Coordinates of all heavy atoms in Angstrom, one line a residue:
M1 N 134.3 122.3 89.8 CA 133.6 121.2 90.5 C 132.1 121.2 90.3 O 131.5 122.2 90.5 CB 134.0 121.2 92.0 CG 134.1 119.8 92.6 SD 134.9 119.8 94.2 CE 133.6 120.2 95.3
K2 N 131.6 120.1 89.9 CA 130.2 120.0 89.7 C 129.5 119.9 91.1 O 129.9 119.2 92.0 CB 129.8 118.7 88.9 CG 129.5 119.0 87.5 CD 128.8 117.8 86.9 CE 129.0 117.8 85.4 NZ 128.7 116.5 84.8
Q3 N 128.4 120.5 91.2 CA 127.6 120.4 92.4 C 126.7 119.2 92.4 O 125.9 119.1 91.4 CB 126.8 121.7 92.6 CG 126.8 122.0 94.1 CD 126.1 123.3 94.4 OE1 125.7 124.1 93.5 NE2 125.8 123.6 95.6
R4 N 126.9 118.4 93.4 CA 126.0 117.2 93.4 C 125.0 117.3 94.5 O 125.3 117.9 95.5 CB 126.9 116.0 93.7 CG 127.5 115.4 92.4 CD 128.1 114.0 92.7 NE 128.9 114.1 93.9 CZ 129.2 113.0 94.7 NH1 128.7 111.9 94.4 NH2 130.0 113.2 95.7
K5 N 123.9 116.8 94.3 CA 122.9 116.8 95.3 C 123.2 115.7 96.4 O 123.4 114.6 96.0 CB 121.5 116.5 94.7 CG 120.4 117.3 95.3 CD 119.1 117.0 94.6 CE 118.0 117.7 95.4 NZ 116.7 117.3 95.0
I6 N 123.4 116.2 97.6 CA 123.7 115.2 98.6 C 122.5 114.6 99.3 O 121.6 115.4 99.7 CB 124.6 115.9 99.7 CG1 125.9 116.5 99.1 CG2 124.9 115.0 100.9 CD1 126.6 117.5 100.0
P7 N 122.3 113.3 99.2 CA 121.1 112.7 99.8 C 121.1 112.9 101.4 O 122.1 112.6 102.0 CB 121.2 111.2 99.5 CG 122.6 111.0 99.0 CD 123.3 112.3 98.7
L8 N 120.0 113.5 101.9 CA 119.9 113.7 103.3 C 119.0 112.7 103.9 O 118.0 112.3 103.3 CB 119.4 115.1 103.5 CG 120.3 116.3 103.1 CD1 119.6 117.6 103.4 CD2 121.6 116.3 103.8
R9 N 119.3 112.3 105.1 CA 118.4 111.5 105.9 C 118.3 112.1 107.3 O 119.2 112.7 107.8 CB 119.0 110.0 106.0 CG 119.0 109.3 104.7 CD 117.6 109.0 104.2 NE 117.6 108.2 103.0 CZ 117.7 108.7 101.8 NH1 117.8 110.0 101.6 NH2 117.7 107.9 100.7
K10 N 117.2 111.7 108.0 CA 117.0 112.2 109.3 C 117.4 111.2 110.4 O 117.1 110.1 110.3 CB 115.5 112.6 109.5 CG 115.3 113.4 110.7 CD 113.9 114.1 110.7 CE 112.8 113.2 111.1 NZ 111.5 113.9 111.3
C11 N 118.2 111.7 111.3 CA 118.6 110.9 112.4 C 117.4 110.6 113.3 O 116.7 111.6 113.7 CB 119.7 111.6 113.2 SG 120.1 110.8 114.8
V12 N 117.1 109.4 113.7 CA 115.9 109.1 114.4 C 116.0 109.5 115.9 O 115.1 109.6 116.6 CB 115.5 107.6 114.4 CG1 115.2 107.1 113.0 CG2 116.6 106.7 115.0
A13 N 117.3 109.8 116.3 CA 117.5 110.2 117.7 C 117.4 111.7 117.9 O 116.5 112.2 118.6 CB 118.8 109.7 118.2
C14 N 118.2 112.5 117.2 CA 118.2 113.9 117.4 C 117.4 114.7 116.3 O 117.2 115.9 116.4 CB 119.7 114.5 117.3 SG 120.5 114.3 115.8
Q15 N 116.8 113.9 115.3 CA 115.9 114.5 114.3 C 116.5 115.5 113.4 O 115.8 116.2 112.7 CB 114.7 115.2 115.0 CG 114.0 114.4 116.1 CD 113.2 113.2 115.5 OE1 112.4 113.4 114.6 NE2 113.3 112.1 116.1
E16 N 117.9 115.5 113.3 CA 118.5 116.4 112.4 C 118.7 115.7 111.0 O 119.0 114.5 110.9 CB 119.9 116.7 113.0 CG 119.9 117.9 113.8 CD 121.3 118.3 114.3 OE1 122.2 118.4 113.5 OE2 121.5 118.3 115.5
M17 N 118.5 116.5 110.0 CA 118.8 116.1 108.7 C 120.3 116.1 108.4 O 120.9 117.2 108.6 CB 118.1 116.9 107.6 CG 116.6 116.9 107.7 SD 115.9 115.3 107.3 CE 116.1 115.3 105.5
K18 N 120.9 115.0 108.0 CA 122.3 115.0 107.7 C 122.6 114.2 106.4 O 121.8 113.4 106.0 CB 123.0 114.3 108.9 CG 122.8 115.0 110.2 CD 124.0 114.9 111.0 CE 123.9 115.8 112.3 NZ 124.8 115.4 113.3
P19 N 123.8 114.5 105.8 CA 124.2 113.7 104.7 C 124.2 112.2 105.0 O 124.7 111.8 106.1 CB 125.6 114.2 104.3 CG 125.7 115.5 105.0 CD 124.8 115.5 106.2
K20 N 123.6 111.5 104.1 CA 123.4 110.0 104.3 C 124.7 109.3 104.8 O 124.6 108.4 105.6 CB 122.8 109.4 103.0 CG 122.2 108.1 103.2 CD 121.6 107.7 101.9 CE 121.4 106.2 101.8 NZ 121.0 105.8 100.4
R21 N 125.8 109.7 104.1 CA 127.0 108.9 104.4 C 127.6 109.2 105.8 O 128.6 108.5 106.2 CB 128.1 109.1 103.3 CG 128.7 110.5 103.2 CD 129.7 110.5 102.1 NE 130.4 111.8 102.1 CZ 131.4 112.1 102.8 NH1 131.9 111.2 103.7 NH2 132.0 113.3 102.7
T22 N 127.1 110.2 106.5 CA 127.6 110.5 107.8 C 126.7 109.8 108.9 O 126.9 109.9 110.0 CB 127.7 112.0 108.1 OG1 126.3 112.5 108.2 CG2 128.4 112.8 107.1
L23 N 125.7 109.1 108.4 CA 124.8 108.4 109.3 C 125.0 106.9 109.2 O 125.5 106.3 108.2 CB 123.3 108.7 108.9 CG 122.9 110.2 108.9 CD1 121.6 110.4 108.2 CD2 122.9 110.7 110.3
I24 N 124.7 106.2 110.3 CA 124.8 104.8 110.4 C 123.3 104.2 110.3 O 122.4 104.7 110.9 CB 125.4 104.3 111.7 CG1 126.9 104.7 111.6 CG2 125.3 102.8 111.9 CD1 127.7 104.3 112.9
R25 N 123.2 103.2 109.4 CA 121.8 102.7 109.2 C 121.6 101.5 110.1 O 122.5 100.6 110.2 CB 121.7 102.2 107.7 CG 120.4 101.8 107.3 CD 120.3 101.6 105.8 NE 119.0 101.2 105.3 CZ 118.6 100.0 104.8 NH1 119.5 99.1 104.7 NH2 117.4 99.8 104.5
I26 N 120.4 101.4 110.7 CA 120.0 100.3 111.4 C 118.9 99.7 110.6 O 118.0 100.4 110.1 CB 119.4 100.7 112.8 CG1 120.4 101.7 113.6 CG2 119.0 99.5 113.7 CD1 121.6 101.0 114.1
V27 N 118.9 98.4 110.4 CA 117.9 97.8 109.6 C 117.2 96.6 110.3 O 117.7 95.9 111.1 CB 118.5 97.3 108.2 CG1 119.5 96.1 108.5 CG2 117.5 97.0 107.2
R28 N 115.9 96.5 110.0 CA 115.1 95.4 110.4 C 114.9 94.5 109.2 O 114.2 94.9 108.3 CB 113.8 95.8 111.0 CG 112.8 94.6 111.3 CD 111.6 95.0 112.1 NE 110.7 95.9 111.4 CZ 109.7 95.5 110.6 NH1 109.6 94.2 110.4 NH2 108.9 96.4 110.1
S29 N 115.4 93.3 109.3 CA 115.3 92.4 108.1 C 113.8 91.9 108.0 O 113.1 92.0 109.0 CB 116.2 91.2 108.3 OG 115.7 90.4 109.3
P30 N 113.5 91.3 106.9 CA 112.1 90.8 106.7 C 111.9 89.7 107.8 O 110.7 89.4 108.1 CB 112.1 90.2 105.3 CG 113.2 91.0 104.6 CD 114.2 91.3 105.6
E31 N 113.0 89.1 108.3 CA 112.8 88.0 109.3 C 112.6 88.7 110.7 O 112.4 88.0 111.7 CB 114.0 87.1 109.4 CG 114.2 86.2 108.1 CD 114.7 87.0 106.9 OE1 115.6 87.9 107.1 OE2 114.3 86.7 105.8
G32 N 112.8 90.0 110.8 CA 112.5 90.7 112.1 C 113.8 90.9 112.9 O 113.8 91.3 114.0
E33 N 115.0 90.6 112.3 CA 116.2 90.8 113.0 C 116.7 92.2 112.9 O 116.8 92.7 111.7 CB 117.3 89.8 112.5 CG 118.4 89.6 113.5 CD 119.7 89.1 112.8 OE1 119.6 88.5 111.7 OE2 120.8 89.4 113.4
V34 N 117.0 92.9 114.0 CA 117.5 94.2 113.9 C 119.0 94.2 114.0 O 119.6 93.6 114.9 CB 116.9 95.1 115.1 CG1 117.4 96.5 115.1 CG2 115.4 95.0 115.0
S35 N 119.7 94.9 113.0 CA 121.1 94.9 113.0 C 121.6 96.2 112.5 O 120.9 97.0 111.9 CB 121.7 93.7 112.2 OG 121.2 93.8 110.9
I36 N 123.0 96.4 112.6 CA 123.6 97.6 112.1 C 124.0 97.3 110.7 O 124.6 96.2 110.4 CB 124.8 98.0 112.9 CG1 124.3 98.5 114.3 CG2 125.6 99.1 112.2 CD1 125.5 98.8 115.3
D37 N 123.7 98.2 109.7 CA 124.0 97.9 108.3 C 125.0 99.0 107.8 O 124.6 100.1 107.4 CB 122.7 98.0 107.5 CG 122.9 97.9 106.0 OD1 124.0 97.4 105.7 OD2 122.1 98.4 105.3
L38 N 126.3 98.6 107.9 CA 127.3 99.5 107.4 C 127.3 99.7 105.9 O 127.9 100.7 105.4 CB 128.7 99.1 107.9 CG 128.9 99.3 109.4 CD1 130.3 98.9 109.8 CD2 128.8 100.8 109.8
T39 N 126.8 98.7 105.2 CA 126.9 98.8 103.7 C 125.7 99.7 103.2 O 125.8 100.2 102.1 CB 126.7 97.4 103.1 OG1 125.4 96.9 103.4 CG2 127.8 96.4 103.6
G40 N 124.7 99.8 104.0 CA 123.5 100.6 103.6 C 122.7 99.9 102.5 O 121.8 100.4 101.9
K41 N 123.0 98.6 102.3 CA 122.4 97.8 101.2 C 121.5 96.7 101.7 O 120.9 96.0 100.8 CB 123.5 97.3 100.3 CG 124.1 98.5 99.5 CD 125.1 97.9 98.5 CE 125.7 99.0 97.6 NZ 126.7 99.8 98.3
K42 N 121.5 96.4 103.0 CA 120.7 95.3 103.4 C 119.2 95.6 103.2 O 118.8 96.8 103.3 CB 120.9 95.1 104.9 CG 122.2 94.4 105.3 CD 122.2 94.0 106.7 CE 123.6 93.6 107.2 NZ 123.7 93.4 108.6
S43 N 118.4 94.6 102.9 CA 117.0 94.8 102.7 C 116.3 94.8 104.0 O 116.7 94.3 105.0 CB 116.5 93.8 101.7 OG 116.5 92.5 102.4
G44 N 115.2 95.6 104.0 CA 114.4 95.7 105.2 C 114.1 97.1 105.5 O 114.5 98.0 104.8
R45 N 113.4 97.3 106.6 CA 113.0 98.7 106.9 C 114.2 99.3 107.7 O 114.7 98.7 108.6 CB 111.8 98.7 107.8 CG 111.3 100.0 108.2 CD 109.9 100.0 108.6 NE 109.5 101.2 109.2 CZ 108.2 101.5 109.6 NH1 107.3 100.6 109.4 NH2 107.9 102.7 110.1
G46 N 114.6 100.5 107.3 CA 115.8 101.1 107.9 C 115.5 102.3 108.7 O 114.5 103.0 108.5
A47 N 116.5 102.6 109.6 CA 116.4 103.8 110.4 C 117.8 104.4 110.4 O 118.8 103.6 110.4 CB 116.0 103.5 111.8
Y48 N 118.0 105.7 110.4 CA 119.3 106.3 110.3 C 119.6 107.0 111.6 O 118.8 107.6 112.3 CB 119.4 107.3 109.2 CG 119.4 106.6 107.8 CD1 118.2 106.3 107.2 CD2 120.6 106.2 107.2 CE1 118.2 105.7 105.9 CE2 120.6 105.6 106.0 CZ 119.4 105.3 105.4 OH 119.4 104.7 104.2
L49 N 120.9 106.9 112.0 CA 121.4 107.4 113.2 C 122.8 108.1 113.0 O 123.6 107.6 112.2 CB 121.6 106.3 114.2 CG 121.5 106.5 115.6 CD1 120.2 107.0 116.0 CD2 121.8 105.2 116.4
C50 N 123.0 109.3 113.6 CA 124.3 109.9 113.4 C 125.4 108.9 113.9 O 125.1 108.1 114.8 CB 124.4 111.1 114.4 SG 123.2 112.4 114.1
G51 N 126.5 109.0 113.3 CA 127.6 108.1 113.6 C 128.3 108.5 114.9 O 129.5 108.6 115.0
Q52 N 127.5 108.6 116.0 CA 128.1 109.0 117.3 C 127.3 108.3 118.4 O 126.1 108.2 118.3 CB 128.2 110.5 117.5 CG 126.8 111.1 117.3 CD 126.9 112.6 117.1 OE1 127.8 113.1 116.5 NE2 126.0 113.4 117.7
A53 N 128.0 107.9 119.4 CA 127.4 107.1 120.5 C 126.4 107.9 121.2 O 125.4 107.3 121.7 CB 128.5 106.6 121.5
S54 N 126.5 109.2 121.3 CA 125.5 110.0 122.0 C 124.1 109.9 121.4 O 123.1 109.9 122.1 CB 125.9 111.5 122.1 OG 126.1 112.0 120.8
C55 N 124.1 109.8 120.0 CA 122.8 109.6 119.4 C 122.2 108.2 119.6 O 121.0 108.1 119.7 CB 122.9 109.9 117.9 SG 122.6 111.7 117.6
F56 N 123.1 107.2 119.7 CA 122.6 105.9 120.0 C 122.0 105.9 121.4 O 120.9 105.3 121.6 CB 123.7 104.8 120.0 CG 123.1 103.5 120.0 CD1 122.9 102.8 118.8 CD2 122.8 102.9 121.2 CE1 122.3 101.5 118.9 CE2 122.2 101.7 121.3 CZ 121.9 101.0 120.1
K57 N 122.6 106.5 122.4 CA 122.1 106.6 123.7 C 120.8 107.3 123.8 O 119.8 106.8 124.5 CB 123.1 107.3 124.6 CG 124.3 106.5 125.0 CD 125.1 107.1 126.1 CE 126.2 106.2 126.7 NZ 127.1 105.7 125.7
L58 N 120.7 108.3 123.0 CA 119.4 109.1 122.9 C 118.3 108.2 122.3 O 117.2 108.2 122.8 CB 119.6 110.3 122.1 CG 118.5 111.4 122.1 CD1 118.4 112.0 123.4 CD2 118.9 112.5 121.1
A59 N 118.7 107.5 121.3 CA 117.7 106.6 120.6 C 117.2 105.5 121.6 O 116.0 105.1 121.6 CB 118.3 105.9 119.4
K60 N 118.2 105.0 122.4 CA 117.8 103.9 123.3 C 116.9 104.5 124.4 O 115.9 103.8 124.7 CB 119.2 103.5 123.9 CG 119.1 102.2 124.8 CD 120.5 101.9 125.3 CE 120.4 101.0 126.5 NZ 121.8 100.7 127.0
K61 N 117.2 105.7 124.9 CA 116.4 106.3 125.9 C 115.0 106.6 125.4 O 114.0 106.3 126.2 CB 117.1 107.6 126.3 CG 116.9 108.0 127.8 CD 117.7 109.2 128.1 CE 117.0 110.2 128.9 NZ 117.7 111.4 129.0
S62 N 114.9 107.0 124.2 CA 113.6 107.4 123.7 C 112.9 106.3 122.9 O 111.8 106.5 122.4 CB 113.7 108.7 122.8 OG 114.5 108.4 121.7
K63 N 113.5 105.1 122.9 CA 113.0 104.0 122.1 C 112.7 104.4 120.7 O 111.7 104.0 120.1 CB 111.8 103.4 122.8 CG 112.1 102.7 124.1 CD 110.9 101.9 124.5 CE 111.2 101.0 125.7 NZ 112.1 99.9 125.5
A64 N 113.7 105.2 120.1 CA 113.4 105.7 118.8 C 113.4 104.6 117.7 O 112.7 104.7 116.7 CB 114.6 106.7 118.4
F65 N 114.0 103.5 117.9 CA 114.0 102.4 116.9 C 112.6 101.7 116.9 O 112.2 101.3 115.8 CB 115.1 101.3 117.2 CG 116.5 101.8 117.1 CD1 117.5 101.1 117.7 CD2 116.8 103.0 116.4 CE1 118.8 101.5 117.7 CE2 118.1 103.4 116.4 CZ 119.1 102.7 117.0
D66 N 112.0 101.7 118.0 CA 110.6 101.1 118.0 C 109.7 101.8 117.0 O 109.0 101.2 116.2 CB 110.0 101.2 119.4 CG 110.7 100.3 120.5 OD1 112.0 100.3 120.4 OD2 110.1 99.7 121.3
R67 N 109.8 103.1 117.1 CA 109.0 104.0 116.2 C 109.5 103.9 114.8 O 108.7 103.7 113.8 CB 109.0 105.4 116.7 CG 108.1 105.7 117.9 CD 107.9 107.2 118.1 NE 109.2 107.9 118.2 CZ 109.9 108.0 119.3 NH1 109.5 107.4 120.4 NH2 111.0 108.7 119.3
A68 N 110.8 104.0 114.6 CA 111.3 104.1 113.3 C 111.2 102.8 112.5 O 111.0 102.7 111.3 CB 112.8 104.5 113.3
L69 N 111.3 101.7 113.2 CA 111.3 100.4 112.6 C 109.9 99.7 112.6 O 109.6 98.7 112.0 CB 112.3 99.4 113.2 CG 113.7 99.9 113.1 CD1 114.7 99.0 113.9 CD2 114.2 100.0 111.7
G70 N 109.0 100.4 113.4 CA 107.6 99.9 113.4 C 107.4 98.6 114.2 O 106.4 98.0 114.0
V71 N 108.4 98.2 115.0 CA 108.2 97.0 115.9 C 108.7 97.3 117.3 O 109.6 98.2 117.4 CB 109.0 95.8 115.3 CG1 108.3 95.2 114.1 CG2 110.4 96.2 115.0
P72 N 108.2 96.7 118.3 CA 108.8 96.8 119.6 C 110.2 96.2 119.6 O 110.4 95.0 119.2 CB 107.9 96.1 120.6 CG 106.9 95.4 119.7 CD 107.1 95.7 118.3
V73 N 111.2 97.0 120.0 CA 112.6 96.4 120.0 C 113.0 96.2 121.5 O 112.9 97.0 122.3 CB 113.6 97.4 119.4 CG1 115.0 96.9 119.4 CG2 113.2 97.7 117.9
D74 N 113.4 94.9 121.7 CA 113.7 94.5 123.1 C 114.9 95.3 123.7 O 115.8 95.6 122.9 CB 114.1 93.0 123.0 CG 114.0 92.3 124.4 OD1 112.9 91.9 124.7 OD2 115.0 92.3 125.0
P75 N 114.8 95.7 124.9 CA 115.9 96.4 125.5 C 117.2 95.6 125.4 O 118.3 96.3 125.2 CB 115.6 96.5 127.0 CG 114.1 96.4 127.0 CD 113.7 95.6 125.9
A76 N 117.2 94.3 125.4 CA 118.4 93.5 125.2 C 119.0 93.8 123.8 O 120.2 93.7 123.6 CB 118.1 92.0 125.4
I77 N 118.1 94.0 122.8 CA 118.6 94.3 121.5 C 119.3 95.6 121.4 O 120.3 95.8 120.8 CB 117.5 94.1 120.5 CG1 117.1 92.6 120.4 CG2 117.9 94.6 119.1 CD1 115.9 92.4 119.5
Y78 N 118.7 96.6 122.1 CA 119.3 97.9 122.2 C 120.7 97.8 122.8 O 121.7 98.4 122.3 CB 118.5 98.9 123.1 CG 117.4 99.6 122.3 CD1 116.1 99.1 122.5 CD2 117.6 100.7 121.6 CE1 115.0 99.8 121.8 CE2 116.6 101.4 120.9 CZ 115.3 100.9 121.0 OH 114.2 101.5 120.4
D79 N 120.8 97.0 123.9 CA 122.1 96.8 124.5 C 123.1 96.2 123.6 O 124.3 96.6 123.5 CB 122.0 95.9 125.8 CG 121.3 96.7 126.9 OD1 121.3 97.9 126.8 OD2 120.8 96.0 127.8
R80 N 122.7 95.1 122.9 CA 123.6 94.5 121.9 C 124.0 95.4 120.8 O 125.2 95.5 120.5 CB 122.9 93.2 121.4 CG 123.8 92.5 120.4 CD 123.2 91.1 120.0 NE 121.9 91.2 119.3 CZ 121.7 91.6 118.0 NH1 122.8 91.9 117.3 NH2 120.6 91.6 117.5
L81 N 123.1 96.1 120.3 CA 123.4 97.1 119.2 C 124.3 98.2 119.7 O 125.2 98.6 118.9 CB 122.1 97.7 118.6 CG 121.2 96.8 117.8 CD1 120.0 97.5 117.4 CD2 122.0 96.3 116.5
E82 N 124.1 98.6 120.9 CA 125.0 99.6 121.5 C 126.4 99.2 121.5 O 127.3 100.0 121.1 CB 124.5 100.0 122.9 CG 125.3 101.3 123.3 CD 124.7 101.8 124.7 OE1 124.0 101.0 125.4 OE2 125.1 102.9 125.0
Q83 N 126.7 98.0 121.9 CA 128.0 97.4 121.9 C 128.6 97.4 120.5 O 129.7 97.9 120.3 CB 128.1 96.0 122.5 CG 127.6 95.9 123.9 CD 128.4 96.8 124.8 OE1 129.6 96.9 124.8 NE2 127.6 97.6 125.6
E84 N 127.8 97.0 119.6 CA 128.3 96.9 118.2 C 128.5 98.3 117.6 O 129.5 98.6 116.9 CB 127.2 96.3 117.3 CG 127.2 94.8 117.2 CD 126.1 94.2 116.3 OE1 126.0 94.7 115.2 OE2 125.4 93.3 116.8
F85 N 127.6 99.2 118.0 CA 127.6 100.6 117.5 C 128.9 101.3 117.9 O 129.6 101.9 117.1 CB 126.4 101.3 118.0 CG 126.2 102.7 117.4 CD1 125.4 102.8 116.3 CD2 126.8 103.8 117.9 CE1 125.2 104.1 115.7 CE2 126.6 105.1 117.4 CZ 125.8 105.2 116.2
I86 N 129.3 101.1 119.2 CA 130.5 101.7 119.7 C 131.7 101.2 118.9 O 132.6 101.9 118.6 CB 130.6 101.4 121.2 CG1 129.6 102.3 121.9 CG2 132.0 101.8 121.7 CD1 129.3 101.9 123.4
K87 N 131.7 99.9 118.6 CA 132.8 99.3 117.8 C 132.8 99.9 116.4 O 133.9 100.2 115.9 CB 132.6 97.8 117.7 CG 133.5 97.0 118.8 CD 133.4 95.5 118.5 CE 132.4 94.9 119.4 NZ 132.0 93.5 119.0
V88 N 131.7 99.9 115.7 CA 131.7 100.4 114.3 C 131.9 101.9 114.2 O 132.3 102.4 113.2 CB 130.4 99.9 113.6 CG1 130.3 98.4 113.6 CG2 129.2 100.6 114.0
E89 N 131.5 102.6 115.3 CA 131.6 104.0 115.3 C 133.0 104.5 114.9 O 133.2 105.4 114.1 CB 131.2 104.6 116.6 CG 131.1 106.1 116.7 CD 131.3 106.6 118.1 OE1 131.4 105.8 119.1 OE2 131.3 107.8 118.3
E90 N 134.0 103.9 115.5 CA 135.4 104.3 115.3 C 135.8 104.0 113.9 O 136.4 104.9 113.2 CB 136.3 103.5 116.2 CG 136.6 104.2 117.5 CD 137.5 103.4 118.4 OE1 138.5 102.9 117.9 OE2 137.1 103.2 119.6
E91 N 135.5 102.8 113.4 CA 135.8 102.5 112.0 C 135.1 103.4 111.0 O 135.6 103.9 110.1 CB 135.2 101.1 111.7 CG 136.1 99.9 112.1 CD 135.4 98.6 111.9 OE1 134.9 98.4 110.7 OE2 135.3 97.8 112.8
F92 N 133.8 103.7 111.4 CA 133.0 104.5 110.5 C 133.6 105.9 110.4 O 133.7 106.5 109.3 CB 131.6 104.6 111.1 CG 130.6 105.3 110.3 CD1 130.0 104.7 109.2 CD2 130.2 106.6 110.6 CE1 129.1 105.4 108.4 CE2 129.3 107.3 109.9 CZ 128.8 106.7 108.8
R93 N 134.0 106.5 111.6 CA 134.6 107.8 111.5 C 135.9 107.8 110.8 O 136.2 108.8 110.0 CB 134.9 108.2 113.0 CG 133.7 108.7 113.6 CD 134.0 109.6 114.8 NE 132.9 109.8 115.6 CZ 133.0 110.4 116.8 NH1 134.1 110.9 117.2 NH2 131.9 110.6 117.5
A94 N 136.7 106.8 111.0 CA 138.0 106.7 110.2 C 137.7 106.6 108.7 O 138.4 107.3 108.0 CB 138.8 105.5 110.7
A95 N 136.7 105.9 108.3 CA 136.4 105.8 106.9 C 135.9 107.1 106.4 O 136.3 107.5 105.3 CB 135.3 104.7 106.7
S96 N 135.0 107.8 107.1 CA 134.6 109.1 106.6 C 135.7 110.1 106.5 O 135.7 110.9 105.6 CB 133.4 109.7 107.3 OG 132.9 108.9 108.3
A97 N 136.6 110.0 107.5 CA 137.8 111.0 107.4 C 138.6 110.7 106.2 O 139.1 111.7 105.6 CB 138.6 110.8 108.7
R98 N 138.8 109.4 105.9 CA 139.6 109.1 104.7 C 138.9 109.6 103.5 O 139.6 110.1 102.6 CB 139.8 107.6 104.6 CG 141.0 107.1 105.4 CD 141.4 105.7 104.9 NE 140.3 104.7 105.1 CZ 140.1 104.0 106.2 NH1 140.9 104.2 107.3 NH2 139.1 103.1 106.3
E99 N 137.6 109.5 103.4 CA 136.9 110.0 102.3 C 137.0 111.5 102.1 O 137.1 112.0 101.0 CB 135.4 109.6 102.4 CG 134.9 108.7 101.4 CD 133.4 108.3 101.6 OE1 132.6 109.2 101.4 OE2 133.2 107.2 102.1
E100 N 137.0 112.2 103.2 CA 137.1 113.6 103.2 C 138.5 114.1 102.6 O 138.6 115.1 102.0 CB 136.8 114.3 104.5 CG 135.4 114.5 104.7 CD 135.0 114.6 106.2 OE1 135.8 115.0 107.0 OE2 133.8 114.2 106.5
D101 N 139.5 113.3 103.0 CA 140.9 113.6 102.6 C 141.0 113.4 101.1 O 141.8 114.2 100.4 CB 141.9 112.7 103.3 CG 142.1 113.1 104.7 OD1 141.7 114.2 105.1 OD2 142.6 112.3 105.5
A102 N 140.4 112.5 100.5 CA 140.5 112.1 99.1 C 140.0 113.2 98.2 O 139.2 114.0 98.6 CB 139.8 110.8 98.8
Ligands
ZN201 ZN1 121.6 112.3 115.7

């Protein structure tokens, strides 16, 4: 098996470096809209977060997205993203588990 370099990114909440595919990307579009980017391909300034709700909670508490995205993020947006995050978290985990099996 060839050894591949695994791209690492830092989680904005817990500050740990992790393989990019285990992280969920949050993106601020050029229009200023903050959303979850499961494809990792949306344009805009991005921030990475571990695929787990505890890191989202930590990010919310410490306003980590404000710093990472360079804009003040409204608490209502954190709340909305948290709901989405919890939904995608399950899918995301199932997807990474499938990838590991393959
Ligand atoms: Zn984390």
